[in-house]
Amino acid sequence: MPTMRLVIARCSVDYAGRLTAHLPSAPRLVLVKADGSVSIHADDRAYKPLNWMSPPCTLKEGTEDGVAVWTVVNKGGEKLIITMEEILHDSSHELGVDPGLIKDGVEAHLQELLADRIETLGEGYTLIRREYPTAIGPVDILCRDSEGATVAVEIKRRGEIDGVEQLTRYLELLNRDPHLAPVRGVFAAQEIKPQARVLATDRGIGCTVLDYNAMRGIEDDKLRLF
């Protein structure tokens, strides 16, 4: 069973790739996930890492002048070099298969309604399947647009940043499948927070606001002239 490794260490970090970046020496948490990704965290920023390397990548542990040095290299040749000056904690844990996020009744019904009315996303859309399975959990809806391109849809009642991050992870995985790639994302919710919309737009993910009552065929109770 693949494991997650947690290392707390005083370390410095250097990134060499399209850009260069340096994190000076400080105590940090280094996560090596079962999918091979490596991320470096400080004691702030909530879940967002200071630096990271997405899979697929390789991790090599060595030493330089008696100091442990980790070198993480991705398929593009970019490098994340972590110099471990002092390791304070090092443990590995088997987390097993995650059941994924359990949606509330509204989100589950939104998924069902959108799958049944997939044209809500645009004319010519066709459904591939609901709950499309991946190694990191099911994608709410996988479909094709009018040009036949694959689209992954993440559905929330309230669209916040964590939902965009979740969809981003799905897209990274799905785009490795040559039968599906290229795959673009759509973040669909009854309400999408401004910060989530900004992040989604920055990552090339579309946003769609869902009208739950309209999708259920319930008329708006506001007065109309016609």
Side-chain angles (χ1 to χ4, degrees):
M1 178 72 70
T3 60
M4 175 182 284
R5 186 176 178 186
L6 295 86
V7 177
I8 298 174
R10 178 173 292 278
C11 63
S12 60
V13 183
D14 291 279
Y15 170 80
R18 289 168 292 179
L19 301 172
T20 59
H22 174 72
L23 293 174
S25 176
R28 297 188 176 94
L29 168 65
V30 182
L31 288 180
V32 183
K33 292 188 177 181
D35 64 3
S37 63
V38 179
S39 56
I40 297 99
H41 299 259
D43 193 17
D44 63 2
R45 299 189 179 206
Y47 55 85
K48 187 175 182 180
L50 297 167
N51 214 327
W52 68 93
M53 193 71 80
S54 299
C57 57
T58 58
L59 167 61
K60 293 183 179 179
E61 297 183 45
T63 57
E64 290 184 10
D65 299 325
V67 177
V69 176
W70 291 12
T71 304
V72 187
V73 184
N74 68 11
K75 63 180 180 180
E78 298 170 306
K79 292 183 179 181
L80 196 63
I81 301 169
I82 309 169
T83 303
M84 302 286 193
E85 298 163 11
E86 181 183 8
I87 295 178
L88 306 172
H89 174 86
D90 188 347
S91 63
S92 297
H93 309 270
E94 294 182 1
L95 301 186
V97 178
D98 192 275
L101 184 66
I102 304 300
K103 296 184 176 295
D104 65 22
V106 173
E107 288 184 8
H109 198 201
L110 278 171
Q111 183 192 115
E112 181 181 348
L113 289 169
L114 187 57
D116 190 50
R117 299 165 177 79
I118 199 66
E119 67 279 359
T120 301
L121 297 175
E123 186 177 352
Y125 274 67
T126 56
L127 179 69
I128 296 176
R129 70 166 290 175
R130 291 171 53 194
E131 299 287 333
Y132 186 87
T134 76
I136 57 174
V139 178
D140 287 340
I141 288 179
L142 199 68
C143 58
R144 296 194 186 279
D145 64 18
S146 59
E147 297 179 355
T150 310
V151 181
V153 184
E154 179 63 27
I155 300 170
K156 299 292 184 188
R157 186 165 55 87
R158 292 181 59 189
E160 302 190 59
I161 285 177
D162 59 349
V164 179
E165 294 285 2
Q166 184 180 358
L167 179 54
T168 300
R169 293 192 293 271
Y170 288 142
L171 291 172
E172 288 179 354
L173 192 64
L174 292 170
N175 272 299
R176 294 183 217 155
D177 186 338
H179 300 293
L180 297 175
V183 184
R184 64 181 180 87
V186 171
F187 190 48
Q190 287 181 278
E191 174 192 5
I192 299 178
K193 296 294 184 181
Q195 300 92 332
R197 187 180 291 274
V198 169
L199 180 60
T201 301
D202 182 67
R203 295 183 176 180
I205 294 171
C207 292
T208 297
V209 175
L210 301 175
D211 187 328
Y212 186 46
N213 287 336
M215 292 173 70
R216 290 192 297 163
I218 298 175
E219 290 289 337
D220 192 337
D221 60 2
K222 294 178 182 177
L223 293 175
R224 304 180 188 179
L225 291 176
F226 304 98

